[in-house]
């Protein structure tokens, strides 16, 4: 049986080379995402059969991430996962499978598997240049938000996340948690734990962040990392709701200043929440 283990920070060096071989734009293909969320979704991992294997198992639920590594090892890895499911007496299933990944499965196992795409868990992938400039009819609403922010808060400034302002971001996140009732919502509380750990471990996880100040107060911050050579993933974005345009402004300013070397920006999924979708 495959020996899945808890994901630890020291696994980063061993796991990242397998993730890098995917050339995948999904937020699931980053070590920070795997490590930070593994505490809340019972995710374990291991390197076997030349691939990085991940598993999410809780109660009667069992599912695998798509094996990461060289395609030549894919069949051996999938066969091993299939046998693992049989031994556990569970149906075999995988999650967060992209169309390109499913095509690889079809080549090896023609007609054997079925796929069902779930809109709520689809990542939003934008062209970085368009997010930075907000030009054109499609981005007119966002452009209005940034213009209003600049008009209302002419003393705003942008800073890159560093050791001197990290603690301020941490305190802003704690205040945001209290204002948004996270203690009474398990999903929100989990996400805030991930946010706080992202700040605390931003250097260890090789994350890049930015923040907005209005006067001396931090009103928004964001954190992310490159998932491959052409795509940057924004993992965390927090802003005060009563600061008009702060969310749009931190989004645009971060992309303008920190994503010049990539073609795409992945802003992750909306989880089916209408507010996020809008």
């Amino acid at each position: 049986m495959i020996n899945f283990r808890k994901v630890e920070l020291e696994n980063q060096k061993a796991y990242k080379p397998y993730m890098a071989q995917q050339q995948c734009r999904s937020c699931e293909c980053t070590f920070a995402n795997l490590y930070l969320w593994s505490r809340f979704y019972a995710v374990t991992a291991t390197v076997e059969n030349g691939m990085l294997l991940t598993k999410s198992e809780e109660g009667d639920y069992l599912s695998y991430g798509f094996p990461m590594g060289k395609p030549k090892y894919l069949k051996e890895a999938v066969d091993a996962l299939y046998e693992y499911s049989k031994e556990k007496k569970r149906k075999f299933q995988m999650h967060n499978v992209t169309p390109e990944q499913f095509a690889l499965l079809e080549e090896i196992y023609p007609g054997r598997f079925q796929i069902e795409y779930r809109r709520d868990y689809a990542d939003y992938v934008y062209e970085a240049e368009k997010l930075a400039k907000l030009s054109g009819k499609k981005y007119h609403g966002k452009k209005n938000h940034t213009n209003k922010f600049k008009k209302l808060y002419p003393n705003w400034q942008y800073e890159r996340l560093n050791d001197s302002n990290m603690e301020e971001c941490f305190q802003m996140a704690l205040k945001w948690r209290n204002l948004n009732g996270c203690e009474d919502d398990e999903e929100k509380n989990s996400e805030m734990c991930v946010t706080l750990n992202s700040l605390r471990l931003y250097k260890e996880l090789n994350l890049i962040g930015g923040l907005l100040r209005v006067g001396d107060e931090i009103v928004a911050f964001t954190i992310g990392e490159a998932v491959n050579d052409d795509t940057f993933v924004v993992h965390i974005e927090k802003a005060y709701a009563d600061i008009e345009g702060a969310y749009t402004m931190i989004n645009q300013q971060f992309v303008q200043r920190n994503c010049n070397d990539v073609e795409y920006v992945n802003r992750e999924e909306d989880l089916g929440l209408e507010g996020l979708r809008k």
Side-chain angles (χ1 to χ4, degrees):
M1 186 174 283
I2 301 170
N3 186 21
F4 287 101
R5 303 176 184 89
K6 182 179 179 181
V7 182
E8 302 290 358
L9 195 58
E10 52 264 30
N11 295 136
Q12 182 171 204
K13 187 175 181 181
Y15 289 178
K16 271 194 166 183
Y18 294 93
M19 292 175 157
Q21 292 175 42
Q22 295 308 104
Q23 283 303 303
C24 173
R25 296 193 179 104
S26 169
C27 65
E28 301 292 328
C29 294
T30 69
F31 180 80
N33 186 292
L34 175 66
Y35 172 72
L36 292 168
W37 281 103
S38 65
R39 273 63 184 154
F40 302 98
Y41 288 119
V43 176
T44 52
T46 189
V47 173
E48 290 197 27
N49 305 308
M51 304 285 271
L52 172 60
L53 309 177
T54 60
K55 170 178 68 76
S56 182
E57 183 175 11
E58 193 165 14
D60 293 332
Y61 177 82
L62 173 63
S63 186
Y64 310 101
F66 192 85
M68 290 182 263
K70 294 180 179 178
K72 67 179 181 179
Y73 299 122
L74 181 59
K75 185 179 188 307
E76 188 176 355
V78 172
D79 287 347
L81 293 175
Y82 193 83
E83 287 303 313
Y84 185 94
S85 293
K86 283 177 64 177
E87 290 170 7
K88 300 277 268 185
K89 296 181 171 57
R90 308 276 180 80
K91 68 177 181 179
F92 176 82
Q93 67 177 12
M94 304 171 89
H95 55 269
N96 297 114
V97 177
T98 67
E100 294 80 10
Q101 290 169 337
F102 186 68
L104 290 175
L105 289 176
E106 275 293 284
E107 286 182 20
I108 302 170
Y109 310 97
R112 180 173 175 180
F113 299 117
Q114 293 179 312
I115 191 163
E116 174 188 329
Y117 289 113
R118 298 183 180 179
R119 170 68 175 76
D120 293 352
Y121 297 98
D123 286 356
Y124 286 69
V125 180
Y126 297 84
E127 292 178 59
E129 184 179 6
K130 290 183 178 178
L131 277 188
K133 294 181 178 178
L134 297 180
S135 56
K137 185 178 179 180
K138 190 174 181 180
Y139 294 92
H140 182 69
K142 291 183 181 293
K143 187 76 170 179
N144 285 342
H145 286 307
T146 59
N147 288 338
K148 188 165 187 179
F149 178 91
K150 292 174 182 177
K151 184 177 180 179
L152 289 172
Y153 312 104
N155 61 337
W156 71 274
Q157 55 183 318
Y158 175 88
E159 297 174 19
R160 184 159 174 157
L161 179 68
N162 56 49
D163 287 349
S164 66
N165 55 35
M166 188 278 289
E167 180 59 30
E168 288 180 271
C169 285
F170 198 91
Q171 294 304 317
M172 182 262 180
L174 292 176
K175 185 177 177 180
W176 191 98
R177 180 175 66 178
N178 293 334
L179 290 171
N180 289 271
C182 296
E183 294 295 337
D184 301 321
D185 186 307
E186 185 177 354
E187 188 70 27
K188 279 186 179 181
N189 195 48
S190 296
E191 200 236 347
M192 280 311 301
C193 288
V194 167
T195 298
L196 295 171
N197 284 330
S198 297
L199 289 167
R200 184 173 60 85
L201 298 170
Y202 84 96
K203 285 196 295 187
E204 289 86 344
L205 290 170
N206 301 301
L207 300 175
I208 298 171
L211 61 94
L212 286 181
R213 287 187 191 272
V214 171
D216 294 329
E217 183 181 16
I218 293 176
V219 299
F221 69 87
T222 188
I223 308 171
E225 64 179 318
V227 63
N228 61 27
D229 294 339
D230 70 7
T231 304
F232 190 95
V233 177
V234 175
H235 289 311
I236 305 292
E237 191 175 81
K238 290 286 173 278
Y240 290 137
D242 60 344
I243 304 295
E244 291 190 60
Y247 271 109
T248 310
M249 189 69 173
I250 187 62
N251 173 9
Q252 185 207 31
Q253 291 298 309
F254 181 77
V255 174
Q256 274 188 3
R257 298 164 189 257
N258 299 102
C259 300
N260 294 317
D261 56 346
V262 296
E263 189 175 353
Y264 301 103
V265 174
N266 180 336
R267 291 181 50 74
E268 301 199 356
E269 69 277 1
D270 62 32
L271 298 173
L273 301 174
E274 191 59 35
L276 284 177
R277 183 165 296 184
K278 184 177 179 181

